[in-house]
Amino acid sequence: MTLAFAVVPSNGRPVLDECLAAIGDQVDTVILIGNNWQRDRGVGSSGAFVSNDYDDGDQNISRWWNRGLAKAERLARFRGASEWDVAVINDDAILPADWVETLSSRMRSTTAVLAYPDQCGGHEEILHTRAEPVPLSQRITGYAFMLRGESGLRADEDFVWWAGDDALDWTARQQGGALLVPGIPVEHRAPDVQTNASPVLTAQTCRDMDTFVSKWGARPW
């Protein structure tokens, strides 16, 4: 059986407990990346063991993802796994039942190394294999996606707050594909709330998009 991990960066928002409760029975281990914040091991979770990691540096969501991905790899290899799934989840994303299993089975039935849910009510499974803009309705859901762990994919830490999910998506397309999966939408409780509340983060989104265009030659949508 394929091992399953979840990487959840959080600064301790109250909705985190609901996030962990929704994913706790779907994975073997939750890797909680506390950014400038800590909590007791396992509090608010159900099912999975919660492994805490902390990052007290500057806000860089790509770095948080990478810390979690690296830890998932260490744990998987320690357990002798040759393949494993890593769900990368915002702390305000509430997953439906069987989300991890469904996304994993669909991803692993194709060449895809990344998969994400269709949030726009579509019915077609789409495997993207070209690094090019797609309709906004098919864009990666940066708050909830899955990686084929053994692929070794990592986020580009030049993207501090925004567009890092798109860069990871486009990289995945070049390494086997990124799969859009219908029928398992995620409840996203607080989209852009942290960004809009912070002038620093709002300004960073512009810089990150400029970085994306500089590196990839186009906007992602």
Side-chain angles (χ1 to χ4, degrees):
M1 177 177 288
T2 303
L3 287 176
F5 300 89
V7 172
V8 184
S10 180
N11 63 2
R13 291 190 290 181
V15 72
L16 172 64
D17 287 335
E18 292 182 70
C19 170
L20 294 180
I23 200 171
D25 292 326
Q26 300 192 46
V27 298
D28 298 288
T29 301
V30 175
I31 301 170
L32 182 60
I33 308 295
N35 43 86
N36 294 297
W37 164 83
Q38 298 184 9
R39 77 180 300 161
D40 293 333
R41 184 183 302 274
V43 173
S45 68
S46 66
F49 174 75
V50 176
S51 177
N52 293 289
D53 205 335
Y54 305 113
D55 189 329
D56 294 327
D58 296 332
Q59 287 184 304
N60 185 317
I61 195 169
S62 296
R63 184 181 67 232
W64 300 336
W65 289 343
N66 284 344
R67 286 179 73 108
L69 291 168
K71 191 163 190 174
E73 179 172 5
R74 292 194 300 271
L75 291 171
R77 296 201 182 282
F78 178 76
R79 298 175 191 177
S82 59
E83 58 183 39
W84 60 96
D85 299 323
V86 186
V88 180
I89 309 295
N90 275 21
D91 66 357
D92 65 340
I94 312 300
L95 306 186
D98 300 323
W99 188 90
V100 170
E101 181 179 355
T102 300
L103 209 55
S104 173
S105 64
R106 297 313 309 147
M107 177 177 70
R108 291 186 178 275
S109 72
T110 71
T111 60
V113 295
L114 182 152
Y116 55 99
D118 186 325
Q119 292 290 105
C120 296
H123 301 285
E124 181 182 6
E125 191 170 284
I126 301 174
L127 180 64
H128 293 291
T129 57
R130 298 181 55 151
E132 61 185 13
V134 298
L136 188 57
S137 62
Q138 297 177 21
R139 183 190 174 207
I140 183 174
T141 50
Y143 47 89
F145 59 92
M146 178 179 287
L147 297 177
R148 192 186 291 247
E150 70 274 12
S151 70
L153 270 176
R154 294 292 185 269
D156 183 343
E157 296 183 16
D158 286 346
F159 296 98
V160 174
W161 192 249
W162 214 44
D165 51 347
D166 297 296
L168 194 55
D169 175 22
W170 284 31
T171 301
R173 296 182 204 178
Q174 297 176 325
Q175 297 184 16
L179 185 69
L180 176 72
V181 179
I184 48 170
V186 170
E187 182 183 354
H188 191 197
R189 288 286 181 84
D192 296 325
V193 168
Q194 292 187 108
T195 302
N196 294 335
S198 168
V200 172
L201 294 179
T202 299
Q204 185 62 52
T205 63
C206 297
R207 290 192 291 271
D208 286 336
M209 186 54 71
D210 288 343
T211 299
F212 190 93
V213 173
S214 176
K215 288 194 171 198
W216 290 94
R219 292 176 62 94
W221 70 87

